[in-house]
């Protein structure tokens, strides 16, 4: 069960953005595994992509197509089309081409996305054969079905939606995401699709998706594995009756940015809450760093330590493992005597050692919670970073040992 | 059961080096948890230590004492005396002082070592009270008992021994090690004690232990967690009738170094074979790197990926996860088309994609083995690095979730 994740909230339709779903039987018969999204003519689209050098064929193609006024997004699950060489690229090109032909746009106006097993050739024919089915049910009200259609090892669909008034007009931001394993920045290491009916110039939209991803999808980690495929797309249809946002500094930009960031953070945290085998939702906050990088180094060292993750799973306040991880994070000339560590508001370590006031009962009480904040005060400067992660459970091992069986 | 690890081999006594064992009931009553080692007068001792900024009190003290012609090593398990602040340092100083008093040496001539739970105060009184017991059974034949006496979560004692003829004389090198979790360089992240009756000048001995550690203990990783405590000590008693080795370039140095490296590699690999929950012994070989660091970055990315480790546990040739890890290892301008990956001699990926000749059966056959070599050819230069690791099993989670209960 996802940690603290309720049923899918109401996902408001975004004027000018339609979604269609089909079942191609790529990995399992009957499962919804193909989603088409259609952005109205005149939409702008921006995206951020995995930094993995082995990025998948669809990622490479998608980056190229992004420059050609794209109109359609084509997503399949069950197969990542990564590590598949030239035949993989040909398969990606062919699915884009076939969809383009059916809807009468240029092949470059289709953005491809694949997620699933790495290294198996994309079954392009299966996908192509169900494109008419997906096109036939394109609708602005299909967000929930699309959220289900992009799931892989996710146990629940993930979505978030907000509205804001800009220039006296209601502007909607709605998004869906998927991902539960192989989750680690740097980059939007999952699939995320967020649409708004605001009108935003493409370079500004690109800046916005980058900023928002750095505060959300780029601050979550489940297992430290950066995927080959993952992509986060922000689509602005321009159907709301507001002036086009052409400057990142404008008031309208700020209003929209706040809502987009909030939606993306909710989507990113939902991925952690549904992390493979997760029984805890853990916030790691590092304060007092001399710079941003050292805050992140410490936060990731803590987030990725299997010893800390198993202690979290066991609700064991084994704070020594936290100190050890801070100690090996690679911060130069770290003065351990300045370091304090908190579990929620309980000070467990002070000046680099067990806090005098600390009792095992206090630690055990916090660790028993489903949601825990580990706060580390470095005492070196004014920088802070926050990231979100999970514990490491038996279930994680089971899921990933049995993934392909 | 440790992977491919037989019963403890014959551990040849090292003239001039005696070991004594006692039971102080630090963590569990009746368990051997205190070991004293005595090096004959005139011995030289060198060591390498954890790089963790939160190094434990005994590590700090040991580094200092190393400069004062040490004669005794005092090891306890069950408590790491790390993250314990000033009281921890006082406890370490007191145990050294008491042992020194009993054997009539200076307190600085005792080297302290602790391993076990972090953050609990060392029960110095318990340890001190059994020092006479350990001293009473000091013997050159006690290596096997000492190997058992330094165990924590280890399932078997670990030792290795070799003899070599130098200057017509038999020279012995015998060592023991412990460690099964929180194992990751950089440094001899465990406890290791290797003694020889060769006569070696201290600076040369220091160079030798550093070189040998970089080829053995610094090339193993189980969970990526660098411990706060671990130390590897090399002791030369000088009792063999050979000329003192005073130059690292000499023939005698090379002969001794070969044997020391071989013993330390066996001890290091034994730690991996007995890794917490390990069901596989995995060699990761990265060839064709442009420099040493990028080889290690790739090797550690593969060794630490929970997704690869769970696939190894499941004997699943999910080679896509290997490609993904290579891709996110952070090698600058990595040309994925030059990358080949092998499981033992089976080429699974060529030019960055699935090898044309590869069949799932070939991969499954290798993955079913207890010992597997993952070889990655980067095609960028002439550097190579090798490290050794384990899989990630249910048992690892169980051990570390229950460690303190």
């Amino acid at each position: 069960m996802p940690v603290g994740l309720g049923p899918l909230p109401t996902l408001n339709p975004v004027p000018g953005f339609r979604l269609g779903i089909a079942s191609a039987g790529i990995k399992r018969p009957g499962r919804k595994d193909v989603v088409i999204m259609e952005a109205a003519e005149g939409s702008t689209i921006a995206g951020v992509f995995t930094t993995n050098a082995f990025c998948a064929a669809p990622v490479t193609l998608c980056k190229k197509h992004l420059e050609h006024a794209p109109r359609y997004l084509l997503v399949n699950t069950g197969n990542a089309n990564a590590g598949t060489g030239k035949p993989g690229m040909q398969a990606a090109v062919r699915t884009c081409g076939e969809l383009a032909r059916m809807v009468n746009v240029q092949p470059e106006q289709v953005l491809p996305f694949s997620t699933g097993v790495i290294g198996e050739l994309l079954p392009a024919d299966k996908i192509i054969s169900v494109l008419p089915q997906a096109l036939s049910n394109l609708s602005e009200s299909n967000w929930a079905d699309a959220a289900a259609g992009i799931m892989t090892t996710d146990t629940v669909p993930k979505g978030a939606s907000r509205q804001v008034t800009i220039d006296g007009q209601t502007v909607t931001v709605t998004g869906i995401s998927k991902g539960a394993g192989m989750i680690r920045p740097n980059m939007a290491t999952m699939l995320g699709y967020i649409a708004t009916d605001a009108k935003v110039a493409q370079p500004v939209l690109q800046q916005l998706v980058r900023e928002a991803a750095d505060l959300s999808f780029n601050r979550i980690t489940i297992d430290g594995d950066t995927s080959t495929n993952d992509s986060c797309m922000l689509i602005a249809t321009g159907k709301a009756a507001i002036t086009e946002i052409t400057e990142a500094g404008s008031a309208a930009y700020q209003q929209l940015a706040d809502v987009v960031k909030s939606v993306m953070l909710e989507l990113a945290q939902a991925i952690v809450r549904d992390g493979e085998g997760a029984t805890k939702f853990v916030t790691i906050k590092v304060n007092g760093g001399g710079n941003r990088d050292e805050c992140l180094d410490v936060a990731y060292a803590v987030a990725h330590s299997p010893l800390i993750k198993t202690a979290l799973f066991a609700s064991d306040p084994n704070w020594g493992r936290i100190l050890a991880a801070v100690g090996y994070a690679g911060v130069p000339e770290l003065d351990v005597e300045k370091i304090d560590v908190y579990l929620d508001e309980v000070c467990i370590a002070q000046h680099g050692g067990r806090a005098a006031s600390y009792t095992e009962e206090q630690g055990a009480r916090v660790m028993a919670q489903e949601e825990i904040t580990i706060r580390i005060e470095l005492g070196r400067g004014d920088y802070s970073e926050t990231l979100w992660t999970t514990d490491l459970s038996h279930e994680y091992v089971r899921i990933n040992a049995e993934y392909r069986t």
Side-chain angles (χ1 to χ4, degrees), chain A residues 45-97:
Chain A
I45 302 184
V48 282
F49 301 91
T50 180
T51 55
N52 195 308
F54 273 99
C55 73
V59 172
T60 305
L61 199 59
C62 190
K63 286 182 189 170
K64 259 197 251 176
H65 287 189
L66 206 47
E67 295 161 17
H68 294 85
R71 292 279 316 287
Y72 289 85
L73 295 82
L74 171 56
V75 190
N76 75 271
T77 69
N79 183 306
N81 196 7
T84 46
K86 283 205 181 100
M89 180 55 79
Q90 283 159 359
V93 167
R94 201 151 67 83
T95 55
C96 290

Side-chain angles (χ1 to χ4, degrees), chain A residues 347-366:
Chain A
C347 180
I348 54 175
Q350 199 161 29
H351 309 314
R354 184 187 182 118
S357 60
Y358 176 69
T359 63
E360 189 87 358
E361 291 65 38
Q362 294 174 314
R365 184 177 46 73
V366 177

Side-chain angles (χ1 to χ4, degrees), chain A residues 324-341:
Chain A
V326 174
Y328 68 68
V331 176
E333 293 171 40
L334 185 66
D335 182 353
V336 300
E337 306 241 325
K338 289 193 177 155
I339 291 173
D340 301 338
V341 180

Side-chain angles (χ1 to χ4, degrees), chain A residues 255-279:
Chain A
Q255 283 181 286
L256 180 67
D258 286 349
V259 180
V260 169
K261 286 173 187 176
S262 159
V263 164
M264 282 173 64
L265 187 60
E266 185 174 339
L267 292 173
Q269 292 187 348
I271 288 175
V272 175
R273 292 177 187 281
D274 193 24
E276 287 174 347
T279 74

Side-chain angles (χ1 to χ4, degrees), chain A residues 45-49 66 187-188 192-194 200-218 231-235 253 256-257 260-261 264:
Chain A
I45 302 184
V48 282
F49 301 91
L66 206 47
M187 234 310 305
Y193 303 95
I194 302 94
V200 189
Q202 206 279 340
V204 178
L205 198 67
Q206 182 60 42
Q207 177 175 341
L208 176 53
V209 72
R210 160 64 55 199
E211 268 179 30
D214 279 345
L215 295 171
S216 56
F217 295 118
N218 284 347
S231 312
C232 172
M233 309 303 295
L234 178 59
I235 302 103
Y253 176 86
L256 180 67
V260 169
K261 286 173 187 176
M264 282 173 64

Side-chain angles (χ1 to χ4, degrees), chain A residues 149-178:
Chain A
I150 63 172
M151 287 166 59
T152 51
T153 56
D154 308 62
T155 68
V156 293
K158 300 170 183 74
S161 190
R162 304 262 194 296
Q163 293 185 317
V164 60
T165 305
I166 302 180
D167 293 351
Q169 302 292 324
T170 298
V171 169
T172 300
V173 177
T174 297
I176 54 176
S177 64
K178 82 99 206 171

Side-chain angles (χ1 to χ4, degrees), chain A residues 280 315-319 342-344 346-348 354 357-369 372:
Chain A
K280 308 268 170 156
S315 299
D316 174 9
N318 192 328
W319 55 273
Y342 293 78
L343 287 180
D344 281 7
V346 174
C347 180
I348 54 175
R354 184 187 182 118
S357 60
Y358 176 69
T359 63
E360 189 87 358
E361 291 65 38
Q362 294 174 314
R365 184 177 46 73
V366 177
M367 289 297 267
Q369 298 164 190
I372 298 164

